[in-house]
Amino acid sequence: MQFFVDTADIAEIRDLAATGMVDGVTTNPSLILKSGRDIIEVTREICALVPGPVSAEVAATDAETMIAEGRALAAIAPNIAIKVPLTWDGLRACRTFADEGRMVNVTLCFSAAQALLAAKAGAAFISPFVGRLDDIGLDGMDLIADIRQIYDNYGFPTKILAASIRGVNHVRDAAKIGADVATVPPSVLRSLAHHPLTDKGLAQFVADWAKTGQKIDASKLGGGA
Ligand code: E4P
């Protein structure tokens, strides 16, 4: 499973990219607002930090303007994935971009039927929003499973990008189902490495090691090590 980080915060992206775990980045208008940055400038910086796909979302709701905006965003860097909403206008724009050989992420997907349309429109990624479905009492993971089955039935190459991820269990469950990518907020990516028994076990090892009085010292190896 690939991990994308769901943020436009440059400091967070730089920090997390250093772990080697960041395969791409997703942004949206709300994340651009939160960053306080100009979309072109911040997206250019993100693309320079992360070589994988960087999703940048159009702002328009009509196909014609979406296409103009998407081409402008795609000119920022070769690793831009143009993000369009799952509407008929968005699907029309997706088809146009796909025919131009551009990478498209179709976002705001809340049903398997929508995901089927995105695949037929040539999307590189479909973004089902798991957490927002859970918020209204549905099970977002059921949607991931339905899309996986449909895409596998027909051999669609569109990647399932599990979005609106709220915690470790979402990542685990999406991975079990076979989502290709999870886009996660920085806090969730960090939390993937945490387990209380890891902390407890490490504290014990550190304490016991100190009692040995030893050091791991390459100079003791001899033989030119
Ligand atoms: C996906 O690309 C979206 O940016 C994001 O996952 C939305 O998540 P939210 O529901 O936490 O806003």
Side-chain angles (χ1 to χ4, degrees):
M1 171 181 255
Q2 289 193 308
F3 291 147
F4 290 1
V5 64
D6 199 25
T7 184
D9 183 323
I10 290 290
E12 290 274 35
I13 294 167
R14 184 179 290 115
D15 189 50
L16 288 167
T19 68
M21 293 291 172
V22 176
D23 301 301
V25 175
T26 51
T27 65
N28 63 39
S30 304
L31 293 171
I32 296 294
L33 174 68
K34 196 172 164 193
S35 77
R37 301 281 312 276
D38 174 80
I39 184 170
I40 303 289
E41 286 173 14
V42 75
T43 304
R44 185 178 291 122
E45 283 180 41
I46 295 169
C47 289
L49 280 174
V50 176
V54 173
S55 291
E57 189 159 341
V58 299
T61 55
D62 67 284
E64 197 182 334
T65 317
M66 277 187 206
I67 290 166
E69 289 180 348
R71 286 175 180 153
L73 291 170
I76 294 172
N79 53 329
I80 286 286
I82 304 164
K83 210 172 177 188
V84 300
L86 212 155
T87 59
W88 281 114
D89 284 274
L91 292 167
R92 278 179 51 202
C94 179
R95 181 76 269 162
T96 300
F97 294 138
D99 288 347
E100 292 171 352
R102 303 182 198 277
M103 212 171 11
V104 185
N105 175 359
V106 179
T107 190
L108 290 168
C109 171
F110 294 95
S111 80
Q114 289 181 316
L116 179 56
L117 294 177
K120 285 178 68 67
F125 299 100
I126 181 67
S127 290
F129 276 36
V130 173
R132 294 193 195 186
L133 282 168
D134 290 358
D135 289 346
I136 60 164
L138 298 173
D139 186 344
M141 247 358 110
D142 286 348
L143 176 57
I144 302 290
D146 286 348
I147 300 172
R148 181 73 283 155
Q149 184 181 348
I150 290 167
Y151 283 9
D152 288 349
N153 282 348
Y154 295 98
F156 284 120
T158 304
K159 288 188 175 173
I160 302 174
L161 199 175
S164 188
I165 293 280
R166 301 282 161 77
V168 172
N169 291 352
H170 274 160
V171 176
R172 178 200 63 202
D173 293 344
K176 283 171 73 177
I177 292 166
D180 302 282
V181 189
T183 189
V184 292
S187 60
V188 172
L189 186 51
R190 289 198 177 87
S191 71
L192 293 180
H194 293 160
H195 196 285
L197 290 179
T198 303
D199 297 341
K200 188 179 171 193
L202 182 59
Q204 184 70 57
F205 288 158
V206 168
D208 287 348
W209 181 251
K211 288 178 200 161
T212 70
Q214 298 182 45
K215 280 187 179 160
I216 299 173
D217 184 351
S219 69
K220 288 186 184 169
L221 291 172

